[in-house]
PDB file of all heavy atoms in Angstrom:
ATOM      1  N   ALA T   8      -8.152  18.723  10.294  1.00  0.00           N
ATOM      2  CA  ALA T   8      -7.936  18.168   8.994  1.00  0.00           C
ATOM      3  C   ALA T   8      -9.142  18.100   8.159  1.00  0.00           C
ATOM      4  O   ALA T   8      -9.150  18.463   6.926  1.00  0.00           O
ATOM      5  CB  ALA T   8      -7.305  16.784   9.151  1.00  0.00           C
ATOM      6  N   HIS T  35     -12.860  10.037   8.177  1.00  0.00           N
ATOM      7  CA  HIS T  35     -14.153  10.586   7.751  1.00  0.00           C
ATOM      8  C   HIS T  35     -14.521  10.109   6.377  1.00  0.00           C
ATOM      9  O   HIS T  35     -15.309  10.774   5.645  1.00  0.00           O
ATOM     10  CB  HIS T  35     -14.044  12.107   7.729  1.00  0.00           C
ATOM     11  CG  HIS T  35     -13.842  12.775   9.048  1.00  0.00           C
ATOM     12  ND1 HIS T  35     -14.806  12.877  10.014  1.00  0.00           N
ATOM     13  CD2 HIS T  35     -12.694  13.323   9.615  1.00  0.00           C
ATOM     14  CE1 HIS T  35     -14.294  13.482  11.051  1.00  0.00           C
ATOM     15  NE2 HIS T  35     -13.040  13.759  10.876  1.00  0.00           N
ATOM     16  N   ALA T  66      -4.727   5.309   2.556  1.00  0.00           N
ATOM     17  CA  ALA T  66      -4.886   5.239   4.027  1.00  0.00           C
ATOM     18  C   ALA T  66      -6.282   4.677   4.450  1.00  0.00           C
ATOM     19  O   ALA T  66      -6.527   4.519   5.636  1.00  0.00           O
ATOM     20  CB  ALA T  66      -4.717   6.664   4.605  1.00  0.00           C
ATOM     21  N   LEU T 112      -1.729  -9.111  -5.595  1.00  0.00           N
ATOM     22  CA  LEU T 112      -0.447  -9.338  -6.247  1.00  0.00           C
ATOM     23  C   LEU T 112      -0.347 -10.759  -6.759  1.00  0.00           C
ATOM     24  O   LEU T 112       0.053 -10.977  -7.902  1.00  0.00           O
ATOM     25  CB  LEU T 112       0.738  -9.020  -5.270  1.00  0.00           C
ATOM     26  CG  LEU T 112       2.106  -9.204  -5.861  1.00  0.00           C
ATOM     27  CD1 LEU T 112       2.351  -8.240  -7.036  1.00  0.00           C
ATOM     28  CD2 LEU T 112       3.165  -9.012  -4.799  1.00  0.00           C
ATOM     29  N   THR T 117       0.675 -12.394 -13.311  1.00  0.00           N
ATOM     30  CA  THR T 117       0.916 -12.487 -14.774  1.00  0.00           C
ATOM     31  C   THR T 117       0.860 -11.096 -15.380  1.00  0.00           C
ATOM     32  O   THR T 117       1.736 -10.703 -16.162  1.00  0.00           O
ATOM     33  CB  THR T 117      -0.102 -13.407 -15.428  1.00  0.00           C
ATOM     34  OG1 THR T 117       0.031 -14.720 -14.846  1.00  0.00           O
ATOM     35  CG2 THR T 117       0.106 -13.516 -16.925  1.00  0.00           C
ATOM     36  N   ALA T 136       6.232  -6.234  -0.899  1.00  0.00           N
ATOM     37  CA  ALA T 136       5.382  -7.262  -0.309  1.00  0.00           C
ATOM     38  C   ALA T 136       6.129  -7.854   0.848  1.00  0.00           C
ATOM     39  O   ALA T 136       5.520  -7.996   1.963  1.00  0.00           O
ATOM     40  CB  ALA T 136       5.021  -8.284  -1.333  1.00  0.00           C
ATOM     41  N   GLY T 138       8.361  -6.533   2.698  1.00  0.00           N
ATOM     42  CA  GLY T 138       8.458  -5.526   3.725  1.00  0.00           C
ATOM     43  C   GLY T 138       7.234  -5.369   4.583  1.00  0.00           C
ATOM     44  O   GLY T 138       7.312  -4.782   5.644  1.00  0.00           O
ATOM     45  N   TYR T 149       4.310 -16.465   0.760  1.00  0.00           N
ATOM     46  CA  TYR T 149       5.345 -15.764   0.027  1.00  0.00           C
ATOM     47  C   TYR T 149       6.317 -16.811  -0.556  1.00  0.00           C
ATOM     48  O   TYR T 149       6.650 -16.763  -1.777  1.00  0.00           O
ATOM     49  CB  TYR T 149       6.066 -14.791   0.916  1.00  0.00           C
ATOM     50  CG  TYR T 149       7.082 -13.903   0.241  1.00  0.00           C
ATOM     51  CD1 TYR T 149       6.702 -12.632  -0.240  1.00  0.00           C
ATOM     52  CD2 TYR T 149       8.390 -14.300   0.107  1.00  0.00           C
ATOM     53  CE1 TYR T 149       7.616 -11.794  -0.841  1.00  0.00           C
ATOM     54  CE2 TYR T 149       9.328 -13.442  -0.505  1.00  0.00           C
ATOM     55  CZ  TYR T 149       8.920 -12.181  -0.976  1.00  0.00           C
ATOM     56  OH  TYR T 149       9.821 -11.387  -1.598  1.00  0.00           O
ATOM     57  N   PHE T 152       4.644 -18.890  -3.284  1.00  0.00           N
ATOM     58  CA  PHE T 152       4.388 -18.147  -4.531  1.00  0.00           C
ATOM     59  C   PHE T 152       5.644 -17.760  -5.292  1.00  0.00           C
ATOM     60  O   PHE T 152       5.730 -17.952  -6.473  1.00  0.00           O
ATOM     61  CB  PHE T 152       3.569 -16.863  -4.183  1.00  0.00           C
ATOM     62  CG  PHE T 152       3.098 -16.129  -5.387  1.00  0.00           C
ATOM     63  CD1 PHE T 152       2.069 -16.642  -6.097  1.00  0.00           C
ATOM     64  CD2 PHE T 152       3.763 -14.935  -5.823  1.00  0.00           C
ATOM     65  CE1 PHE T 152       1.631 -15.954  -7.298  1.00  0.00           C
ATOM     66  CE2 PHE T 152       3.342 -14.305  -6.942  1.00  0.00           C
ATOM     67  CZ  PHE T 152       2.273 -14.798  -7.702  1.00  0.00           C
ATOM     68  N   PHE T 153       6.669 -17.287  -4.550  1.00  0.00           N
ATOM     69  CA  PHE T 153       7.873 -16.749  -5.267  1.00  0.00           C
ATOM     70  C   PHE T 153       9.017 -17.779  -5.470  1.00  0.00           C
ATOM     71  O   PHE T 153       9.818 -17.541  -6.363  1.00  0.00           O
ATOM     72  CB  PHE T 153       8.400 -15.536  -4.524  1.00  0.00           C
ATOM     73  CG  PHE T 153       7.518 -14.302  -4.769  1.00  0.00           C
ATOM     74  CD1 PHE T 153       6.908 -13.643  -3.717  1.00  0.00           C
ATOM     75  CD2 PHE T 153       7.389 -13.798  -6.074  1.00  0.00           C
ATOM     76  CE1 PHE T 153       6.129 -12.520  -3.965  1.00  0.00           C
ATOM     77  CE2 PHE T 153       6.598 -12.658  -6.310  1.00  0.00           C
ATOM     78  CZ  PHE T 153       5.967 -12.034  -5.248  1.00  0.00           C
ATOM     79  N   THR T 154       9.040 -18.829  -4.696  1.00  0.00           N
ATOM     80  CA  THR T 154      10.153 -19.769  -4.852  1.00  0.00           C
ATOM     81  C   THR T 154      10.275 -20.298  -6.306  1.00  0.00           C
ATOM     82  O   THR T 154      11.409 -20.400  -6.824  1.00  0.00           O
ATOM     83  CB  THR T 154      10.059 -20.916  -3.859  1.00  0.00           C
ATOM     84  OG1 THR T 154      10.170 -20.376  -2.521  1.00  0.00           O
ATOM     85  CG2 THR T 154      11.180 -21.959  -4.035  1.00  0.00           C
ATOM     86  N   PRO T 155       9.151 -20.609  -7.003  1.00  0.00           N
ATOM     87  CA  PRO T 155       9.266 -21.038  -8.369  1.00  0.00           C
ATOM     88  C   PRO T 155       9.878 -19.993  -9.299  1.00  0.00           C
ATOM     89  O   PRO T 155      10.366 -20.328 -10.412  1.00  0.00           O
ATOM     90  CB  PRO T 155       7.833 -21.342  -8.796  1.00  0.00           C
ATOM     91  CG  PRO T 155       7.112 -21.619  -7.497  1.00  0.00           C
ATOM     92  CD  PRO T 155       7.793 -20.730  -6.475  1.00  0.00           C
ATOM     93  N   ARG T 164      17.600 -12.434  -6.202  1.00  0.00           N
ATOM     94  CA  ARG T 164      18.139 -11.771  -4.993  1.00  0.00           C
ATOM     95  C   ARG T 164      17.053 -11.169  -4.112  1.00  0.00           C
ATOM     96  O   ARG T 164      17.019 -11.355  -2.892  1.00  0.00           O
ATOM     97  CB  ARG T 164      19.169 -10.708  -5.368  1.00  0.00           C
ATOM     98  CG  ARG T 164      19.790  -9.980  -4.167  1.00  0.00           C
ATOM     99  CD  ARG T 164      20.917  -9.064  -4.705  1.00  0.00           C
ATOM    100  NE  ARG T 164      21.404  -8.238  -3.621  1.00  0.00           N
ATOM    101  CZ  ARG T 164      20.908  -7.065  -3.256  1.00  0.00           C
ATOM    102  NH1 ARG T 164      19.897  -6.556  -3.906  1.00  0.00           N
ATOM    103  NH2 ARG T 164      21.404  -6.382  -2.237  1.00  0.00           N
ATOM    104  N   MET T 168      16.068 -12.291  -0.319  1.00  0.00           N
ATOM    105  CA  MET T 168      16.098 -11.286   0.773  1.00  0.00           C
ATOM    106  C   MET T 168      14.726 -11.187   1.397  1.00  0.00           C
ATOM    107  O   MET T 168      14.606 -11.024   2.631  1.00  0.00           O
ATOM    108  CB  MET T 168      16.542  -9.934   0.182  1.00  0.00           C
ATOM    109  CG  MET T 168      17.986  -9.839  -0.127  1.00  0.00           C
ATOM    110  SD  MET T 168      18.469  -8.298  -0.965  1.00  0.00           S
ATOM    111  CE  MET T 168      17.571  -7.038  -0.078  1.00  0.00           C
ATOM    112  N   ILE T 173      10.989 -11.557   5.986  1.00  0.00           N
ATOM    113  CA  ILE T 173       9.736 -11.947   6.615  1.00  0.00           C
ATOM    114  C   ILE T 173      10.000 -12.958   7.717  1.00  0.00           C
ATOM    115  O   ILE T 173       9.391 -12.861   8.819  1.00  0.00           O
ATOM    116  CB  ILE T 173       8.793 -12.581   5.565  1.00  0.00           C
ATOM    117  CG1 ILE T 173       8.446 -11.599   4.453  1.00  0.00           C
ATOM    118  CG2 ILE T 173       7.461 -12.991   6.235  1.00  0.00           C
ATOM    119  CD1 ILE T 173       7.758 -12.241   3.251  1.00  0.00           C
ATOM    120  N   ARG T 182       8.700 -14.425  19.201  1.00  0.00           N
ATOM    121  CA  ARG T 182       9.512 -14.415  20.428  1.00  0.00           C
ATOM    122  C   ARG T 182       9.130 -13.356  21.400  1.00  0.00           C
ATOM    123  O   ARG T 182       9.056 -13.644  22.610  1.00  0.00           O
ATOM    124  CB  ARG T 182      11.000 -14.225  20.035  1.00  0.00           C
ATOM    125  CG  ARG T 182      11.956 -14.339  21.212  1.00  0.00           C
ATOM    126  CD  ARG T 182      13.375 -13.883  20.883  1.00  0.00           C
ATOM    127  NE  ARG T 182      13.369 -12.439  20.742  1.00  0.00           N
ATOM    128  CZ  ARG T 182      14.113 -11.758  19.867  1.00  0.00           C
ATOM    129  NH1 ARG T 182      14.926 -12.365  19.050  1.00  0.00           N
ATOM    130  NH2 ARG T 182      14.049 -10.423  19.806  1.00  0.00           N
TER     131      ARG T 182
END
Side-chain angles (χ1 to χ4, degrees):
H35 297 285
L112 182 63
T117 300
Y149 185 93
F152 187 75
F153 284 118
T154 297
R164 182 173 172 271
M168 287 173 43
I173 301 167
R182 184 190 73 214

